[in-house]
Coordinates of all heavy atoms in Angstrom, one line a residue:
G1 N 66.9 -247.5 91.6 CA 66.7 -246.0 91.5 C 65.3 -245.5 90.7 O 64.7 -244.7 91.1
L2 N 65.3 -246.4 89.5 CA 64.0 -246.1 88.8 C 62.7 -246.4 89.7 O 61.8 -245.6 89.7 CB 64.0 -246.9 87.6 CG 62.9 -246.7 86.6 CD1 62.9 -245.4 85.9 CD2 63.0 -247.8 85.4
L3 N 62.8 -247.5 90.3 CA 61.4 -247.9 91.3 C 61.3 -246.8 92.4 O 60.2 -246.4 92.6 CB 61.7 -249.2 91.8 CG 61.5 -250.4 90.8 CD1 61.9 -251.7 91.5 CD2 60.2 -250.5 90.2
Y4 N 62.4 -246.4 92.8 CA 62.4 -245.5 93.9 C 61.8 -244.1 93.4 O 61.0 -243.6 94.1 CB 63.8 -245.2 94.5 CG 63.7 -244.3 95.7 CD1 63.5 -245.0 96.9 CD2 64.1 -242.9 95.6 CE1 63.6 -244.0 98.1 CE2 64.1 -242.1 96.7 CZ 63.9 -242.8 98.0 OH 63.9 -241.9 99.0
R5 N 62.2 -243.7 92.3 CA 61.7 -242.4 91.7 C 60.3 -242.5 91.1 O 59.4 -241.5 91.2 CB 62.5 -242.0 90.5 CG 64.0 -241.6 90.9 CD 64.0 -240.6 92.0 NE 64.3 -239.3 91.2 CZ 64.2 -238.2 91.9 NH1 63.9 -238.1 93.1 NH2 64.3 -237.1 91.2
L6 N 59.8 -243.6 90.7 CA 58.5 -243.8 90.2 C 57.4 -244.0 91.3 O 56.3 -243.7 91.1 CB 58.4 -245.0 89.2 CG 59.2 -244.8 87.8 CD1 59.0 -246.1 87.0 CD2 58.6 -243.7 87.2
A7 N 57.9 -244.5 92.5 CA 56.9 -244.6 93.6 C 56.8 -243.3 94.4 O 57.8 -242.8 94.8 CB 57.3 -245.8 94.4
A8 N 55.6 -243.0 94.6 CA 55.3 -241.8 95.5 C 55.7 -242.1 96.9 O 55.8 -243.2 97.4 CB 53.8 -241.5 95.5
E9 N 56.4 -241.1 97.6 CA 56.9 -241.2 98.9 C 55.8 -241.9 99.9 O 56.4 -242.8 100.7 CB 57.4 -240.0 99.5 CG 58.2 -240.1 100.6 CD 59.0 -238.8 101.0 OE1 59.1 -237.9 100.1 OE2 59.3 -238.7 102.2
D10 N 54.7 -241.4 99.9 CA 53.8 -242.1 100.8 C 53.3 -243.5 100.4 O 52.8 -244.3 101.2 CB 52.5 -241.2 101.0 CG 51.8 -241.0 99.6 OD1 52.5 -241.1 98.5 OD2 50.6 -240.7 99.6
K11 N 53.6 -243.9 99.2 CA 53.2 -245.2 98.7 C 54.5 -246.3 98.8 O 54.2 -247.3 98.6 CB 52.9 -245.2 97.2 CG 51.7 -244.4 97.0 CD 50.4 -245.0 97.4 CE 49.2 -244.2 96.9 NZ 48.0 -244.6 97.4
R12 N 55.7 -245.8 99.1 CA 56.8 -246.7 99.3 C 56.7 -247.6 100.5 O 56.5 -247.1 101.6 CB 58.2 -245.7 99.3 CG 58.4 -245.2 98.0 CD 59.8 -244.4 98.2 NE 59.9 -243.6 97.1 CZ 60.3 -242.4 97.2 NH1 60.6 -241.8 98.3 NH2 60.5 -241.5 96.0
P13 N 56.7 -248.9 100.4 CA 56.7 -249.7 101.5 C 57.8 -249.7 102.5 O 58.9 -249.1 101.9 CB 56.5 -251.2 100.9 CG 56.8 -251.1 99.6 CD 56.8 -249.7 99.1
D14 N 57.9 -250.1 103.6 CA 59.0 -250.1 104.5 C 60.2 -250.9 104.0 O 61.3 -250.4 104.2 CB 58.5 -250.5 105.8 CG 57.6 -249.7 106.6 OD1 57.6 -248.5 106.2 OD2 56.9 -250.1 107.4
W15 N 59.9 -252.0 103.4 CA 61.0 -252.9 103.0 C 61.9 -252.2 101.7 O 63.0 -252.4 101.5 CB 60.5 -254.3 102.4 CG 59.5 -254.2 101.2 CD1 58.1 -254.3 101.5 CD2 59.7 -254.1 99.9 NE1 57.4 -254.2 100.4 CE2 58.4 -254.0 99.4 CE3 60.9 -253.8 99.1 CZ2 58.3 -253.9 97.9 CZ3 60.6 -253.7 97.8 CH2 59.4 -253.7 97.2
F16 N 61.1 -251.2 101.1 CA 61.8 -250.5 100.0 C 62.7 -249.5 100.4 O 63.6 -249.0 99.7 CB 60.7 -250.0 99.1 CG 61.3 -249.7 97.8 CD1 61.5 -250.6 96.8 CD2 61.4 -248.3 97.3 CE1 62.1 -250.3 95.6 CE2 62.0 -248.0 96.0 CZ 62.3 -249.0 95.1
M17 N 62.4 -249.0 101.7 CA 63.4 -248.0 102.1 C 64.7 -248.5 102.7 O 65.5 -247.7 103.3 CB 62.6 -247.2 103.3 CG 61.3 -246.6 102.8 SD 61.4 -245.4 101.4 CE 62.2 -244.2 102.1
L18 N 65.1 -249.8 102.5 CA 66.2 -250.3 102.8 C 67.4 -249.4 102.1 O 67.1 -248.8 101.1 CB 66.3 -251.7 102.5 CG 65.5 -252.7 103.4 CD1 65.6 -254.1 102.8 CD2 65.8 -252.5 104.8
D19 N 68.6 -249.6 102.7 CA 69.6 -248.9 102.2 C 70.0 -249.3 100.6 O 69.8 -250.6 100.4 CB 70.8 -249.3 103.0 CG 71.7 -248.2 103.5 OD1 71.2 -246.9 103.3 OD2 72.9 -248.4 103.8
L20 N 70.4 -248.5 99.9 CA 70.6 -248.7 98.5 C 71.9 -249.8 98.6 O 71.9 -250.7 97.8 CB 71.1 -247.4 97.7 CG 71.6 -247.6 96.2 CD1 70.7 -248.4 95.4 CD2 72.0 -246.4 95.7
S21 N 72.8 -249.6 99.6 CA 74.0 -250.5 99.7 C 73.5 -252.0 99.7 O 74.2 -252.9 99.2 CB 74.9 -250.0 100.6 OG 74.4 -250.1 101.9
L22 N 72.5 -252.2 100.6 CA 72.0 -253.5 100.8 C 71.4 -254.2 99.4 O 71.7 -255.3 99.1 CB 70.9 -253.5 101.8 CG 70.4 -254.9 102.1 CD1 71.4 -255.9 102.8 CD2 69.1 -254.8 103.0
N23 N 70.7 -253.3 98.6 CA 70.2 -253.7 97.4 C 71.3 -254.0 96.3 O 71.3 -254.9 95.7 CB 69.1 -252.8 96.9 CG 67.8 -252.8 97.7 OD1 67.3 -253.9 97.8 ND2 67.5 -251.8 98.3
L24 N 72.3 -253.1 96.3 CA 73.4 -253.3 95.5 C 74.2 -254.6 96.0 O 74.7 -255.3 95.0 CB 74.3 -252.0 95.5 CG 73.7 -250.9 94.7 CD1 74.8 -249.6 94.8 CD2 73.5 -251.2 93.4
T25 N 74.3 -254.9 97.3 CA 75.0 -256.0 97.6 C 74.3 -257.2 97.1 O 75.1 -258.2 96.6 CB 75.2 -256.0 99.1 OG1 75.8 -254.9 99.5 CG2 75.9 -257.3 99.6
F26 N 73.0 -257.4 97.2 CA 72.3 -258.5 96.7 C 72.4 -258.6 95.2 O 72.6 -259.7 94.6 CB 70.8 -258.4 97.1 CG 70.3 -258.9 98.4 CD1 69.9 -258.1 99.4 CD2 70.6 -260.2 98.7 CE1 69.6 -258.6 100.6 CE2 70.3 -260.8 100.0 CZ 69.7 -259.9 101.0
G27 N 72.4 -257.4 94.4 CA 72.6 -257.5 93.1 C 73.9 -258.0 92.8 O 74.2 -258.8 91.7
L28 N 74.9 -257.6 93.4 CA 76.4 -258.0 93.2 C 76.4 -259.4 93.5 O 77.1 -260.2 92.7 CB 77.2 -257.2 94.2 CG 78.8 -257.5 93.9 CD1 79.1 -256.9 92.6 CD2 79.5 -256.7 95.0
I29 N 75.8 -260.0 94.6 CA 75.9 -261.4 94.9 C 75.3 -262.3 93.8 O 75.8 -263.3 93.2 CB 75.2 -261.8 96.2 CG1 76.1 -261.3 97.3 CG2 74.9 -263.3 96.4 CD1 75.3 -261.3 98.7
F30 N 74.2 -261.8 93.3 CA 73.4 -262.6 92.2 C 74.3 -262.4 90.8 O 74.4 -263.5 90.2 CB 72.1 -262.0 91.9 CG 71.0 -262.6 92.9 CD1 70.9 -262.4 94.2 CD2 70.0 -263.2 92.3 CE1 70.0 -262.9 94.9 CE2 69.0 -263.9 93.0 CZ 68.9 -263.7 94.3
A31 N 74.9 -261.3 90.6 CA 75.7 -261.2 89.4 C 77.0 -262.1 89.4 O 77.3 -262.6 88.5 CB 76.2 -259.7 89.2
V32 N 77.6 -262.1 90.7 CA 78.8 -262.9 90.8 C 78.4 -264.4 90.6 O 79.0 -265.2 89.9 CB 79.4 -262.8 92.3 CG1 80.3 -263.9 92.6 CG2 80.0 -261.5 92.3
F33 N 77.2 -264.8 91.2 CA 76.8 -266.2 90.9 C 76.5 -266.5 89.5 O 76.9 -267.5 88.8 CB 75.4 -266.4 91.7 CG 74.9 -268.0 91.3 CD1 75.4 -269.0 91.9 CD2 73.7 -267.9 90.6 CE1 74.8 -270.2 91.8 CE2 73.1 -269.1 90.4 CZ 73.8 -270.3 90.9
G34 N 76.0 -265.5 88.7 CA 75.7 -265.7 87.2 C 76.9 -265.8 86.5 O 77.0 -266.6 85.6
A35 N 77.9 -264.9 86.8 CA 79.2 -265.0 86.0 C 79.9 -266.2 86.4 O 80.5 -266.7 85.5 CB 80.0 -263.7 86.3
A36 N 79.9 -266.7 87.7 CA 80.6 -267.8 88.1 C 80.0 -269.1 87.3 O 80.8 -269.9 86.9 CB 80.6 -268.0 89.5
L37 N 78.6 -269.1 87.3 CA 78.1 -270.2 86.5 C 78.4 -270.3 85.0 O 78.7 -271.3 84.4 CB 76.6 -270.1 86.7 CG 75.7 -271.3 86.2 CD1 76.0 -272.7 86.7 CD2 74.2 -270.8 86.2
A38 N 78.4 -269.1 84.4 CA 78.8 -269.0 83.0 C 80.3 -269.5 82.9 O 80.7 -270.2 81.9 CB 78.7 -267.5 82.5
W39 N 81.2 -269.0 83.7 CA 82.5 -269.5 83.6 C 82.7 -271.0 83.7 O 83.4 -271.6 83.1 CB 83.4 -268.7 84.7 CG 84.8 -269.1 84.9 CD1 85.8 -268.7 84.0 CD2 85.5 -270.0 85.6 NE1 87.0 -269.3 84.2 CE2 86.8 -270.1 85.3 CE3 85.0 -270.9 86.7 CZ2 87.7 -271.0 86.0 CZ3 85.8 -271.7 87.3 CH2 87.2 -271.7 87.1
W40 N 82.0 -271.6 84.8 CA 82.0 -272.9 85.0 C 81.6 -273.7 83.7 O 82.1 -274.7 83.4 CB 81.2 -273.4 86.3 CG 81.3 -274.8 86.5 CD1 82.2 -275.6 87.1 CD2 80.2 -275.7 86.1 NE1 81.9 -276.7 87.2 CE2 80.7 -277.0 86.4 CE3 79.1 -275.6 85.3 CZ2 79.9 -278.2 86.2 CZ3 78.3 -276.9 85.0 CH2 78.7 -278.1 85.5
R41 N 80.5 -273.2 83.2 CA 79.9 -273.8 81.9 C 80.9 -273.8 80.8 O 81.2 -274.8 80.1 CB 78.6 -273.2 81.5 CG 77.4 -273.7 82.3 CD 76.2 -273.3 81.8 NE 76.1 -273.8 80.4 CZ 75.2 -274.5 79.9 NH1 74.1 -275.0 80.8 NH2 75.0 -274.8 78.6

């Protein structure tokens, strides 16, 4: 959200206009991996 608000609309690349849900899904996957690794350790 911060990156989206700071970038001017005409300067936003196409890949950035992806759905927020897709970006949250990737963030969730990475967070699950980090938490699972910590639990395993």
Side-chain angles (χ1 to χ4, degrees):
L2 183 67
L3 289 174
Y4 187 83
R5 297 300 266 167
L6 290 178
E9 190 168 343
D10 58 336
K11 300 284 186 189
R12 291 182 192 136
D14 292 335
W15 58 262
F16 196 72
M17 300 305 290
L18 293 174
D19 227 17
L20 174 60
S21 62
L22 179 64
N23 288 304
L24 286 178
T25 302
F26 274 119
L28 188 64
I29 290 168
F30 274 68
V32 165
F33 177 73
L37 183 63
W39 177 80
W40 180 83
R41 283 191 55 125

